[in-house]
Amino acid sequence: MSAPPAAQTSRAPGAAFILKKALISAFVALVLFSLMIGVRTEAGPQGQLIYWTRFGDLAAMVAAVFGGSIIVELLRQWWGPVGTVRIVPPSVQTTLAVARRGIAPVLLVFTFLVPVLFYDERYILDLAILVLTYVMLGWGLNVVVGLAGLLDLGYVAFYAVGAYSYALLATNFGLSFWICLPLAGILAAFWGVLLGFPVLRLRGDYLAIVTLAFGEIIRLVLINWQTLTGGPNGVTGIPRPTLFGIPLTPADDGLAALLGIEFSPTHRIVFLFYIILALALLTNWVTIRLRRLPLGRAWEALREDEVACRALGINTTTTKLTAFATGAMFGGIAGAFFATRQGFISPESFTFHESALVLAIVVLGGMGSQLGVALAALAMIGGFELFRGLDQYRMLVFGMAMVLLMIWRPRGLIGHRAPTVFLKSNQAISSDLVKEGHG
Amino acid sequence: MSGDPILSVDRLSMRFGGIVAVNDLSFDAERRKITALIGPNGAGKTTVFNCITGFYKPTSGAMRLTHDDGHAIQLQRLNDFRIAKLARVARTFQNIRLFPGMTALENLMVAQHNALMRASGLTFLGLIGAPSWRNAEQAAIDLSRTWLDRIGLLDRADDAAGNLPYGDQRRLEIARAMCTQPALLCLDEPAAGLNARESAALSELLLSIRSEEGTSILLIEHDMSVVMEISDHVVVMDYGVKIAEGTPRHIRDDPKVIAAYLGADEEEAIAVMESGT
């Protein structure tokens, strides 16, 4: 991989260009902030409107945007134009390649050790479970968006179907978690196929809108079908998972009593941690496996060129449906886990925000890359918690980090694609050749 | 012409609103022969191709494909991917449609999708890594390797298809179509954009496909050197109708063809047609 040597210099804009760009940004900021920051209004003691101006703050804000815009532009030049590979010495490249290959096993071992390392820190364990749930959701959505190239904005619908499947089956019929887990997956996959049928003809933006609506429909049904779902009150008293029928409770037949150790609520947390870790790894294993099977290869071919797929005799309809169903199944299983972890679910947990978050994880990670999605979930969920100390500026910092990331890595953290089969050498394919799909 | 046609197109018409792209076209493509469909730009050649390969539904007319075992299929009754899957008609495109982000080898593996899907037990056998699936996969890789070798791309098997030079992409697309093990191979301008040396290699490849694989070929081509060299039969179209058909030699001397092909300027037309011999 070598970049054309002229790429660095050919598109280096001059100072005038940077200044012009910064001025435009500053002007936009001025228009935006003049009312948001420049003027402050409040209701007076007699209910009259009082307002005062804060031109100092406004000026500071506009100056910050001006300066920031220059810095971003300079950083961009320093990194080289988007889409070209910076010339790196081969020795550094091989070191990076080794590091890249090593990162997945290291992360895996570390993840296995998390409950050991942080046994006493409940907060970290809870956060780790949350991150792993999103890793699993990301890997599930990755099948639909990353591999098959179908933009799905309603992924949370399947998460909800899985969660409610388990909650209702367990509370109404007393089925155990381990029986409900595959059932939740199957039910979610069924809904995935159901959604798939009408939207198969749609592409791109249209597909995105219909899936978005589907997510909302599921949520509204959950709110309004009070007799079944309990409406906004949700479902309470969802049973916790057991270890081969042994509950993790302080009771006499609990695991702690059987093992003769002192009961601690952390046991259950650690148990949940390993359940979600196993489920996430199962998702990963199945996806990696599927990619090397004709079905997975057809998904990727579909993303690359649907017309060519049809000319090769590939049934694009069933191929798309299987992608939807597979993605939905993993979403449903993750949903069942979510329900058993929370012990309580309500429609509030399944808003569009969740779909957007999972989609952001997939896009940020690099569409189609398993490791990228895992890293993105860690950054999005873990990183978000990291900024908790920043209080109200948390969202701001987070948004800024995402903007910067998209400037430098427009195709996600790991943008290149690994071939599914090779004769001699397994070389990654540069992201600018790989298509994103259009529905 | 008589004999054993693999494809007989019978009174095919295709209208787009008021425009008649193909009008009452009938011709046969012989088994294990190369049939060329030529004509000036806009004559309706690609429309005929799109009808045969199921991308368009013809307004009227019939297209009958007869397999080696005598089984006949009415192509106009199949749609979409079924023509490629059931009738085993493979095609390439005028503007190359490879999977650019996948390697050359992966492109050929995708082409064997239907056979591999069966072998993988609709994915389930493949998921558990059954031995029968592994053998089938190895066989598919071997077939891909054979074709990569035949088109001289064995060394670049693991390169992204989008990174290959133009001529290689053209040949890879033909190899991909051949990996579906077609009865009839439809090539839409396979020599477009190739230099003289690449054109010659292409002619050789097509002749070897005809003689070694026994695949019948239907091709649209503007490069007369290729058409004259390899075709067994030529069908000439203009404004959606057939104006002539016959052997390349016969076509070359047909004044109607010369007139249609290059307008009224007959001398220039003769010069171009002769350059192809």
Side-chain angles (χ1 to χ4, degrees):
Chain A
M1 290 242 253
S2 68
Q8 293 270 334
T9 47
S10 65
R11 216 190 62 93
F17 172 82
I18 297 176
L19 219 59
K20 191 177 141 203
K21 221 171 159 181
L23 274 174
I24 293 173
S25 307
F27 177 72
V28 172
L30 179 69
V31 172
L32 267 176
F33 293 135
S34 58
L35 288 176
M36 282 164 64
I37 293 174
V39 184
R40 173 103 177 139
T41 57
E42 232 171 61
Q46 273 88 49
Q48 81 277 35
L49 180 76
I50 25 176
Y51 70 92
W52 62 95
T53 52
R54 301 189 293 185
F55 291 132
D57 292 354
L58 178 63
M61 207 64 206
V62 171
V65 169
F66 183 75
S69 168
I70 290 178
I71 290 169
V72 166
E73 200 52 46
L74 286 175
L75 279 174
R76 255 167 98 154
Q77 284 193 18
W78 177 61
W79 271 79
V82 172
T84 62
V85 184
R86 274 165 58 80
I87 301 157
V88 188
S91 58
V92 180
Q93 262 184 4
T94 48
T95 324
L96 277 175
V98 169
R100 215 173 281 155
R101 228 170 295 144
I103 194 167
V106 168
L107 264 180
L108 187 64
V109 169
F110 176 76
T111 314
F112 265 104
L113 291 178
V114 160
V116 181
L117 295 173
F118 303 103
Y119 186 76
D120 293 328
E121 296 181 68
R122 172 81 194 261
Y123 170 70
I124 290 188
L125 284 180
D126 276 334
L127 183 60
I129 290 175
L130 192 68
V131 169
L132 281 176
T133 312
Y134 279 97
V135 168
M136 178 166 178
L137 285 172
W139 278 340
L141 186 61
N142 196 20
V143 171
V144 186
V145 178
L147 295 185
L150 304 162
L151 186 52
D152 184 354
L153 285 180
Y155 193 59
V156 74
F158 308 121
Y159 191 38
V161 167
Y164 271 87
S165 300
Y166 170 57
L168 296 176
L169 287 172
T171 51
N172 292 331
F173 303 109
L175 294 181
S176 92
F177 175 70
W178 297 107
I179 293 173
C180 289
L181 202 61
L183 280 180
I186 290 167
L187 280 169
F190 169 74
W191 281 97
V193 172
L194 217 60
L195 164 69
F197 263 116
V199 304
L200 281 171
R201 294 153 179 276
L202 305 176
R203 308 174 126 242
D205 309 347
Y206 304 99
L207 178 75
I209 290 170
V210 174
T211 51
L212 173 76
F214 182 73
E216 285 302 290
I217 289 170
I218 292 278
R219 193 175 62 86
L220 290 173
V221 167
L222 291 179
I223 290 179
N224 290 298
W225 196 352
Q226 296 224 3
T227 49
L228 180 74
T229 65
N233 300 326
V235 182
T236 49
I238 301 167
R240 304 294 185 168
T242 57
L243 183 69
F244 302 112
I246 307 166
L248 280 83
T249 54
D252 287 342
D253 61 344
L255 183 71
L258 285 177
L259 289 178
I261 51 171
E262 197 183 332
F263 174 78
S264 150
T266 316
H267 291 166
R268 190 170 55 77
I269 306 295
V270 171
F271 182 52
L272 284 172
F273 177 88
Y274 282 116
I275 289 179
I276 186 64
L277 180 60
L279 290 177
L281 288 179
L282 178 77
T283 310
N284 188 29
W285 181 81
V286 170
T287 312
I288 289 176
R289 202 79 206 214
L290 280 176
R291 268 195 76 207
R292 293 179 188 151
L293 287 171
L295 183 65
R297 233 174 257 136
W299 288 340
E300 289 202 82
L302 202 64
R303 178 192 67 200
E304 297 281 318
D305 194 329
E306 193 178 332
V307 172
C309 278
R310 279 170 31 199
L312 294 175
I314 295 174
N315 187 342
T316 50
T317 309
T318 50
T319 307
K320 281 183 185 178
L321 280 180
T322 50
F324 260 114
T326 311
M329 183 183 74
F330 292 132
I333 293 174
F337 173 80
F338 175 78
T340 193
R341 181 181 98 105
Q342 299 290 94
F344 161 75
I345 50 167
S346 75
E348 258 170 63
S349 309
F350 308 106
T351 54
F352 171 65
H353 175 82
E354 297 294 313
S355 293
L357 191 59
V358 179
L359 186 65
I361 287 172
V362 173
V363 173
L364 205 65
M367 304 213 298
S369 162
Q370 298 292 100
L371 177 61
V373 168
L375 288 175
L378 186 65
M380 292 280 289
I381 312 298
F384 200 60
E385 289 298 314
L386 210 67
F387 297 134
R388 199 171 270 285
L390 293 170
D391 207 30
Q392 53 180 324
Y393 296 105
R394 185 156 79 137
M395 269 302 198
L396 198 67
V397 172
F398 197 66
M400 212 138 84
M402 279 193 72
V403 168
L404 289 179
L405 199 71
M406 282 292 118
I407 289 174
W408 288 320
R409 290 208 155 267
R411 295 299 296 261
L413 286 172
I414 297 182
H416 55 75
R417 174 180 174 275
T420 57
V421 59
F422 59 92
L423 284 185
K424 291 188 194 77
S425 62
N426 189 357
Q427 45 194 354
I429 294 167
S430 145
S431 60
D432 35 283
L433 287 172
V434 181
K435 295 269 183 296
E436 285 155 355
H438 28 64
Chain B
M1 60 190 261
S2 60
D4 177 24
I6 183 160
L7 174 77
S8 4
V9 174
D10 187 26
R11 306 198 62 181
L12 179 76
S13 290
M14 182 76 213
R15 290 192 193 85
F16 298 101
I19 297 165
V20 183
V22 178
N23 192 9
D24 219 13
L25 178 78
S26 302
F27 71 90
D28 284 352
E30 289 292 303
R31 194 179 303 281
R32 291 192 187 83
K33 294 279 164 61
I34 298 179
T35 308
L37 194 59
I38 66 169
N41 286 328
K45 306 181 297 290
T46 300
T47 308
V48 172
F49 254 47
N50 283 338
C51 288
I52 292 171
T53 51
F55 282 81
Y56 293 158
K57 197 111 194 128
T59 315
S60 66
M63 299 165 292
R64 195 179 71 244
L65 185 107
T66 317
H67 279 155
D68 288 356
D69 56 11
H71 178 62
I73 296 172
Q74 297 288 338
L75 293 184
Q76 73 279 5
R77 292 190 192 148
L78 295 177
N79 59 12
D80 204 9
F81 71 97
R82 285 181 193 87
I83 286 187
K85 188 179 176 179
L86 303 176
R88 294 196 289 124
V89 176
R91 75 170 289 178
T92 66
F93 294 87
Q94 202 169 341
N95 43 343
I96 304 171
R97 300 198 85 125
L98 286 168
F99 306 120
M102 303 174 91
T103 65
L105 177 63
E106 281 180 303
N107 268 275
L108 301 190
M109 294 292 280
V110 171
Q112 301 173 54
H113 176 81
N114 287 318
L116 284 177
M117 245 351 223
R118 272 193 301 278
S120 71
L122 299 175
T123 306
F124 296 107
L125 282 179
L127 210 54
I128 57 168
S132 66
W133 153 248
R134 288 208 201 125
N135 294 339
E137 189 187 30
Q138 194 52 51
I141 293 175
D142 289 342
L143 180 65
S144 307
R145 189 202 297 267
T146 313
W147 275 104
L148 284 168
D149 197 22
R150 276 181 85 161
I151 60 172
L153 282 180
L154 197 53
D155 289 339
R156 306 207 61 176
D158 300 322
D159 284 352
N163 262 345
L164 297 175
Y166 189 81
D168 290 350
Q169 292 196 14
R170 281 257 175 239
R171 287 205 307 283
L172 182 61
E173 206 189 10
I174 295 172
R176 188 180 67 178
M178 283 309 294
C179 276
T180 63
Q181 317 227 304
L184 176 68
L185 176 66
C186 301
L187 303 170
D188 198 346
E189 297 200 26
L194 300 188
N195 60 34
R197 196 169 48 81
E198 287 171 325
S199 289
L202 176 82
S203 300
E204 218 171 285
L205 175 68
L206 295 185
L207 286 173
S208 82
I209 286 176
R210 183 193 59 176
S211 56
E212 287 169 33
E213 309 296 320
T215 307
S216 318
I217 297 178
L218 181 64
L219 85 155
I220 294 176
E221 190 47 71
H222 278 301
D223 186 333
M224 283 307 143
S225 66
V226 173
V227 172
M228 294 299 158
E229 189 187 330
I230 67 171
S231 340
D232 301 301
H233 189 74
V234 182
V235 177
V236 191
M237 280 181 78
D238 194 15
Y239 294 110
V241 295
K242 181 172 79 179
I243 56 167
E245 71 175 308
T247 60
R249 177 172 298 277
H250 170 82
I251 290 298
R252 201 178 56 225
D253 301 331
D254 191 327
K256 256 202 306 190
V257 175
I258 296 165
Y261 217 79
L262 284 165
D265 197 345
E266 211 163 299
E267 248 170 65
E268 195 188 333
I270 291 166
V272 168
M273 296 304 257
E274 272 176 0
S275 75
T277 51

